[in-house]
Amino acid sequence: YHIQFQGNGLPPEAKFDSDTINVGQIPLETVAQYEVILRNTGKVEVNYEIRQFHKSGLKFDFSPSKATIPVDGSIRISIKFYAIKVGQFTEQFLFAFRGSIDFHPNFTIYGKVVGPEYSISPELINFGDLSYGFLYTKTFEIENKSDIAFDYKLHFLQDSTFSPREFTIIPSEGTLSKFSKQTVTLEF
């Protein structure tokens, strides 16, 4: 006997508990961790693999980056975000499903990586009227108002009104640890 079978294959289907994460403002050089759940909403198992689109140059790690989810099952996906570059970002990630041609859910992470916040006080240093041949000093303070340490290097922009040798900055460079201050002396 000759038997003929006919039917349609069921595609894999799954859905995230949330398809976006707003990380808000994250300090530079921070590693943040998030979690999403991918649920199998179809009638066949889902084999997924993440496809990343790095537009911003930031680093994301997904664990597991590929897996199989049984029918009626779910999987927790851990996302590590490495804030290595200052600026706003929106990153979209595609989850490719084996056996699915049309359906590939996207996942979006967005936010802003912020650098250190600092102030210089006073903002204007006025030596006033001076006599030639005498040493004059003024001080100012650089304050790191954030929990991000940063390096600084101070110098004068060249113009035709003075020689840079007329000024000395002490210290002219250094590192400000988080929430610290540095007093700088300017000699003329």
Side-chain angles (χ1 to χ4, degrees):
Y1 289 95
H2 183 14
I3 300 175
Q4 184 177 2
F5 292 96
Q6 209 172 10
N8 292 322
L10 295 173
E13 296 176 10
K15 186 176 181 180
F16 288 105
D17 60 342
S18 173
D19 59 0
T20 59
I21 293 179
N22 177 359
V23 301
Q25 292 190 352
I26 300 232
L28 183 66
E29 298 180 357
T30 298
V31 178
Q33 191 158 343
Y34 306 94
E35 218 175 63
V36 293
I37 296 174
L38 183 59
R39 295 187 193 288
N40 184 341
T41 57
K43 298 183 188 220
V44 296
E45 71 179 18
V46 172
N47 293 294
Y48 78 85
E49 183 175 352
I50 183 148
R51 304 278 164 84
Q52 300 180 13
F53 298 97
H54 289 296
K55 292 184 247 169
S56 63
L58 298 171
K59 184 180 178 193
F60 296 85
D61 284 336
F62 288 78
S63 180
S65 61
K66 61 183 177 179
T68 300
I69 307 170
V71 176
D72 294 326
S74 64
I75 191 166
R76 279 186 198 281
I77 301 172
S78 174
I79 305 164
K80 275 191 180 176
F81 167 56
Y82 301 86
I84 56 175
K85 183 178 160 189
V86 173
Q88 287 189 291
F89 67 92
T90 300
E91 287 284 344
Q92 188 175 47
F93 302 91
L94 175 77
F95 282 70
F97 290 174
R98 188 174 72 204
S100 179
I101 298 169
D102 299 328
F103 181 70
H104 301 285
N106 291 324
F107 185 79
T108 304
I109 301 174
Y110 66 96
K112 183 177 183 180
V113 178
V114 294
E117 184 181 337
Y118 65 93
S119 68
I120 298 177
S121 176
E123 292 181 10
L124 175 67
I125 298 174
N126 185 352
F127 279 93
D129 295 330
L130 305 172
S131 297
Y132 183 74
F134 292 94
L135 179 65
Y136 296 93
T137 62
K138 294 276 186 173
T139 61
F140 62 93
E141 188 174 76
I142 305 171
E143 180 180 2
N144 184 352
K145 296 183 171 189
S146 66
D147 60 356
I148 304 168
F150 68 89
D151 298 328
Y152 68 90
K153 186 171 186 177
L154 305 171
H155 62 91
F156 287 99
L157 297 176
Q158 289 286 126
D159 70 12
S160 60
T161 61
F162 71 92
S163 167
R165 292 174 298 173
E166 295 175 355
F167 291 93
T168 304
I169 304 170
I170 304 168
S172 62
E173 59 186 75
T175 300
L176 275 174
S177 56
K178 56 185 177 180
F179 302 109
S180 67
K181 297 177 182 181
Q182 173 67 55
T183 299
V184 177
T185 302
L186 181 59
E187 294 179 344
F188 176 66

